[in-house]
Amino acid sequence: MPSLIDARPAEPFADVKARAAEAVDASREEIVDLSHRIHANPEPAFEEHRAAAWVADVLAGHGFAVERPAGSLETAVRARLSGGLGTDGPRIGVLAEYDALPGLGHGCGHNTMAASGVGAAIALAAVRDAFAGEIVFLGTPAEERGSGKQFMLDDGLFAGLDAALLYHPCDRNHVDIAPLASEDASVVFTGVQSHAASEPWEGRNALDAMIALFSSVGLWRQQLPPHCRVHGIIQEGGTAANIIPDRTRAWFMIRSADQAYYEVMKSRFTRLCEAAATAADVEVEVEFSGFASTMKTNRLLADRWVANAQAYGIVDQGPDGTTGSTDMANVSWAVPAIHPDLAITDRPTPAHSTEFRDAAARPRADETVLLAATLVAQTALDLLLDPSLVERAWEEFRG
Ligand SMILES: [Zn+2]
Ligand SMILES: [Zn+2]
């Protein structure tokens, strides 16, 4: 890819965009250091205390007014900076994630998202003399579990924004994504303990119910359309082979590309849990949380992203054939939004793997962090310097 300072950015406003790219390049060490620090200190959903503090510190150092925590989540960050020409202009949300995966670390590469979001904010601060309006950086916890952005939506932190921009690392380059509607389901079976050899008939076996549930989920899969996913792990399966387990617990996720069909799945899954409890004569509790919706990508913003990326030799490869879920999709129904992916590796590498985790802190990924920062800043500038685009993005949003 051409270097950040050699390439001529996409029109319009190529001169200001070039200054933004130079600002990212000038802060290269600070941005990459942030990515590496977060990568080396992975924190799971809702526990991103160090990452949030580091992100907040860098932003404060570049003139942002920082709130930490922001809203009800302890590890959420909001940092705001007005344009040099006043506040009467677009309010652009620059988003960043920083949660890791339990037992795996940054296997989704969210360290690159935190650093590039901060990098974009640094670049916009460096060219604030050119625009009116406001940059609203949002550090958004708990993407991998819990849908932190939904808490932030409920807390009003997206109110008044005109756009929300968030890059994600990938092994391909594409602006369009089609995430599945998704929810976490916590399933707890409660039975009665007894000695597994001397008087097993006195017990009611919570593990039997769990095994029955996994069996029925396995059979259910054949009847599910290809756009659906259901998968889970057993978190508690008993404590000893000679005790009839009185408590077992599983963590499932159910997903569908079709919002309406997702509701059908949810109801069916609940009935499977109840049937398994009946079969083993135990009690069951099913709790759903962390809903993520399907995504409404804003075409106008997506087109600006693609044009800005092209100037750096990035060719859009079209959406992935398969996909997970993201709470960014929830944001996309509240404000015009994009969630573009950029490659951090040059070969096919599955996300949520040690290979992807290791790739997320290599020089190839560092270059992508800087490019993502530049492209987020440049796409924000398209809107800040031509507020009529914001109006058109909202027109499209309202359909
Ligand atoms: Zn991710
Ligand atoms: Zn992930």
Side-chain angles (χ1 to χ4, degrees):
M1 83 182 76
S3 94
L4 288 182
I5 37 183
D6 294 340
R8 173 77 180 158
E11 295 290 351
F13 318 119
D15 291 339
V16 184
K17 288 177 181 174
R19 285 175 54 210
E22 283 159 23
V24 169
D25 195 62
S27 292
R28 156 186 294 267
E29 275 175 38
E30 189 175 24
I31 296 167
V32 169
D33 172 68
L34 180 63
S35 177
H36 289 184
R37 259 191 292 163
I38 294 174
H39 189 269
N41 295 277
E43 300 164 300
F46 301 111
E47 295 172 29
E48 313 93 329
H49 297 283
R50 284 174 296 188
W54 291 333
V55 160
D57 281 352
V58 176
L59 290 166
H62 285 268
F64 279 78
V66 178
E67 296 156 73
R68 181 176 69 88
S72 60
L73 294 183
E74 261 186 65
T75 53
V77 175
R78 176 163 68 174
R80 290 183 283 186
L81 185 78
S82 305
L85 302 180
T87 51
D88 189 17
R91 300 182 73 210
I92 306 301
V94 171
L95 274 54
E97 294 174 4
Y98 31 64
D99 61 326
L101 289 154
L104 179 58
H106 276 291
C108 210
H110 292 183
N111 59 299
T112 70
M113 304 173 80
S116 64
V118 169
I122 289 174
L124 290 164
V127 299
R128 64 185 284 269
D129 60 293
F131 62 84
E134 191 178 35
I135 307 305
V136 182
F137 173 96
L138 292 173
T140 65
E143 190 277 338
E144 293 293 356
R145 175 183 72 79
S147 286
K149 291 182 195 63
Q150 186 60 51
F151 288 85
M152 296 178 75
L153 283 161
D154 295 342
D155 288 341
L157 292 166
F158 286 88
L161 290 191
D162 288 309
L165 312 174
L166 177 65
Y167 137 88
H168 195 287
C170 189
D171 57 357
R172 301 167 66 253
N173 299 306
H174 58 96
V175 71
D176 281 310
I177 62 166
L180 309 174
S182 161
E183 213 161 355
D184 295 299
S186 168
V187 183
V188 176
F189 291 109
T190 307
V192 174
Q193 281 182 333
S194 68
H195 195 294
S198 66
E199 44 192 357
W201 46 84
E202 295 295 331
R204 288 190 284 125
N205 195 327
L207 182 58
D208 285 355
M210 187 61 81
I211 290 166
L213 176 60
F214 272 82
S215 299
S216 17
V217 165
L219 295 170
W220 182 33
R221 282 201 181 96
Q222 189 192 10
Q223 268 64 51
L224 284 172
H227 61 76
C228 297
R229 295 286 185 278
V230 51
H231 43 94
I233 59 165
I234 298 177
Q235 296 173 296
E236 294 175 42
T239 55
N242 56 3
I243 306 169
I244 297 289
D246 67 337
R247 177 185 161 89
T248 52
R249 182 165 64 99
W251 172 13
F252 274 89
M253 297 185 78
I254 55 176
R255 318 197 202 213
S256 170
D258 179 329
Q259 196 85 55
Y261 197 86
Y262 170 78
E263 295 302 328
V264 174
M265 283 185 80
K266 186 171 169 175
S267 139
R268 178 72 182 271
F269 179 79
T270 305
R271 282 180 289 138
L272 292 183
C273 294
E274 289 162 358
T278 302
D281 193 20
V282 300
E283 310 298 320
V284 66
E285 262 183 63
V286 187
E287 252 180 57
F288 293 94
S289 65
F291 178 70
S293 66
T294 53
M295 173 100 186
K296 176 175 172 170
T297 294
N298 190 275
R299 281 276 38 98
L300 184 137
L301 298 184
D303 290 347
R304 292 317 310 154
W305 174 274
V306 170
N308 287 320
Q310 263 171 2
Y312 296 90
I314 301 292
V315 177
D316 198 280
Q317 296 171 285
D320 289 330
T322 57
T323 181
S325 307
T326 174
D327 58 0
M328 186 61 182
N330 302 28
V331 172
S332 75
W333 296 93
V335 52
I338 51 169
H339 185 280
D341 282 24
L342 289 174
I344 59 165
T345 70
D346 291 315
R347 58 176 182 185
T349 309
H352 292 201
S353 67
T354 52
E355 203 184 339
F356 198 81
R357 176 196 67 197
D358 295 347
R362 292 205 185 105
R364 171 73 175 85
D366 296 343
E367 290 308 311
T368 301
V369 167
L370 301 170
L371 177 65
T374 303
L375 297 180
V376 167
Q378 292 180 342
T379 303
L381 285 170
D382 276 323
L383 300 166
L384 289 160
L385 298 174
D386 180 4
S388 77
L389 277 191
V390 171
E391 270 170 50
R392 283 166 50 205
W394 275 110
E395 266 168 39
E396 177 196 324
F397 178 89
R398 296 189 183 106

